[in-house]
Amino acid sequence: MKVLVVGGTGPTGPHVVQGLLDRGHDVTLFHRGVHEPPELPEVRHIHGDPHFRETIEEALAHEQFDVVACMYGRVKTLAEWFAKRCEQFVAVGGVPSYKNVLGWTDQRPPGAVLPTREDGPLADAEGEASSFAGKVLAAEREVLGRARDGDFRGTVIRYPAIHGPRNQNPHEWMVLKRMNDRRPFMILPDGGLGILGRCGARNAAEVLLRCVDRPEAADGEAFNAADDTQYSWRQWVDVVARAAGGTIEIASLPAELAGPVQASLIPLRDYSPQTLFDTTKAKTLLGYREVMSAEEQIRETVARLLETPPDVDSQIAFVDTFSYDREDALVAAYRKAVEEVREAAGWDAPALHHPLPHPKKAGLGPDEMGR
């Protein structure tokens, strides 16, 4: 088939392009031409802006494709343009379409439902969605509405945070640079117990490729993408550090005090501190199976970053300033305050006991603790 990949030069794009080529498809990329990664398979490129109808029409008016994989640009506008112009339209969206992924304190119970499934409540289920989530939902509904109308076979894939060697916001560098600088610790909010639902680039690409493989099963559906194994932030730091051959201690601070670190970790402001996305639907309907474990993909990313350190100063989304003096002062002040509060409160945690009896000798009565 003739396949147009809109975007295709980011973390998942080269894997999608190579997968399509391996399946024997004729692939063309449509993007602005700003990013041309060296590992991108050699295919035809059309350079143009995929955000506006006039620029889309200018670039594609004389083109015809069987399948469109929309990974970039303005999805709603692209879906409108390709209605009745292609057989299948697969759009990459995002998990902010779900209730409380963004604005997680606004509704009750606060936070995203765990695990989040495709039939779960959407961002506007109990009120108006945030501006960003509303745009994500509008794009989804355009694609799925066109599918219901028979304009094409339409599918939406909801990406969570994507990790991999080409990620524009390399979270792993927050750990690796501190290890290189011989920092004794790294600050994490609330003990690093938050969970950011993630998907490695190779696995995210596989979900999209399975949609192309099974257009009838994918038609009119939305699918989550996620790794089978999900890590808390504390576990993730440990996996990254071990991939680099070392370890790093965690300094736990309340989220209210760990603002600079929190801003570096989360993908968007006011993003839920706990997210997990279920992929049973993709496995059942599409036959999806992850192609590489989360740990293997982290090791791949770490190896790339150590070989070629990223230019994080040019990445607007990477806001870790590695201000070690400020970190030291913040941790010292917090630990001093904890000791002062403990001394002032004078209240120790009570002893804990199992509620069921554990007798030390045979008998029918209560055990030694009266249970």
Side-chain angles (χ1 to χ4, degrees):
M1 295 184 295
K2 293 186 66 175
V3 182
L4 180 71
V5 176
V6 183
T9 63
T12 62
H15 302 303
V16 169
V17 173
Q18 188 61 58
L20 292 169
L21 293 174
D22 292 343
R23 288 159 167 77
H25 299 309
D26 177 8
V27 182
T28 299
L29 291 188
F30 173 42
H31 64 113
R32 294 190 302 147
V34 176
H35 303 290
E36 301 280 1
E39 59 268 55
L40 190 67
E42 189 169 335
V43 296
R44 177 185 174 222
H45 289 228
I46 298 174
H47 289 162
D49 191 339
H51 292 86
F52 306 96
R53 185 177 178 89
E54 57 269 25
T55 53
I56 295 168
E57 183 172 2
E58 179 183 356
L60 303 177
H62 303 294
E63 303 286 342
Q64 189 170 357
F65 299 95
D66 302 302
V67 178
V68 175
C70 184
M71 308 179 67
Y72 177 66
R74 192 158 287 125
V75 172
K76 187 173 184 293
T77 304
L78 285 158
E80 292 169 351
W81 166 259
F82 279 107
K84 300 187 183 301
R85 285 189 170 97
C86 67
E87 293 295 320
Q88 185 184 21
F89 188 95
V90 182
V92 171
V95 294
S97 58
Y98 289 118
K99 175 187 174 186
N100 281 12
V101 169
L102 292 183
W104 65 280
T105 59
D106 293 343
Q107 299 177 9
R108 294 292 179 269
V113 174
L114 303 179
T116 301
R117 289 181 282 270
E118 292 87 347
D119 60 356
L122 299 179
D124 58 359
E126 297 181 19
E128 185 177 357
S130 69
S131 174
F132 186 84
K135 291 174 182 176
V136 174
L137 274 178
E140 280 194 9
R141 287 167 176 163
E142 182 69 28
V143 174
L144 299 178
R146 295 282 180 181
R148 284 192 300 272
D149 293 342
D151 292 342
F152 45 53
R153 291 190 179 104
T155 305
V156 169
I157 304 172
R158 293 169 179 155
Y159 274 14
I162 300 294
H163 65 98
R166 285 179 294 273
N167 195 347
Q168 292 95 333
N169 189 8
H171 286 149
E172 296 82 3
W173 191 243
M174 298 172 64
V175 183
L176 299 177
K177 178 169 171 52
R178 284 176 170 79
M179 293 176 66
N180 289 341
D181 294 341
R182 301 186 181 279
R183 285 289 289 167
F185 64 85
M186 175 176 176
I187 294 173
L188 285 180
D190 300 329
L193 298 181
I195 300 175
L196 174 67
R198 295 169 176 266
C199 189
R202 294 180 184 272
N203 292 334
E206 182 68 10
V207 177
L208 191 153
L209 292 167
R210 292 296 181 122
C211 291
V212 177
D213 291 342
R214 299 190 179 185
E216 292 85 3
D219 186 27
E221 303 288 350
F223 297 97
N224 288 336
D227 294 325
D228 287 352
T229 298
Q230 298 291 320
Y231 298 114
S232 70
W233 279 111
R234 192 181 195 109
Q235 293 169 327
W236 172 83
V237 167
D238 185 68
V239 172
V240 171
R242 284 190 290 110
T247 60
I248 188 168
E249 295 299 316
I250 299 303
S252 175
L253 293 182
E256 293 84 353
L257 297 178
V261 176
Q262 185 89 335
S264 299
L265 295 175
I266 62 176
L268 294 166
R269 186 180 297 276
D270 203 19
Y271 196 90
S272 176
Q274 303 280 0
T275 54
L276 284 173
F277 303 99
D278 184 87
T279 57
T280 301
K281 184 176 177 181
K283 292 175 179 177
T284 303
L285 294 186
L286 305 177
Y288 162 75
R289 297 294 182 271
E290 74 171 15
V291 296
M292 184 179 282
S293 73
E295 184 174 357
E296 288 174 316
Q297 290 178 93
I298 289 172
R299 289 202 300 264
E300 181 183 46
T301 301
V302 167
R304 175 76 67 89
L305 293 175
L306 291 176
E307 179 182 352
T308 308
D311 178 18
V312 293
D313 292 338
S314 66
Q315 302 297 336
I316 191 171
F318 192 93
V319 295
D320 191 337
T321 58
F322 303 102
S323 302
Y324 299 147
D325 289 345
R326 291 183 176 182
E327 290 180 5
D328 291 341
L330 180 60
V331 170
Y334 172 68
R335 289 174 175 171
K336 180 180 179 182
V338 168
E339 291 303 318
E340 291 174 352
V341 170
R342 281 177 178 162
E343 184 177 346
W347 189 25
D348 293 326
L352 300 178
H353 304 285
H354 199 284
L356 298 180
H358 287 77
K360 293 185 171 66
K361 57 185 178 180
L364 298 180
D367 70 359
E368 289 75 13
M369 299 188 70
R371 295 173 293 193

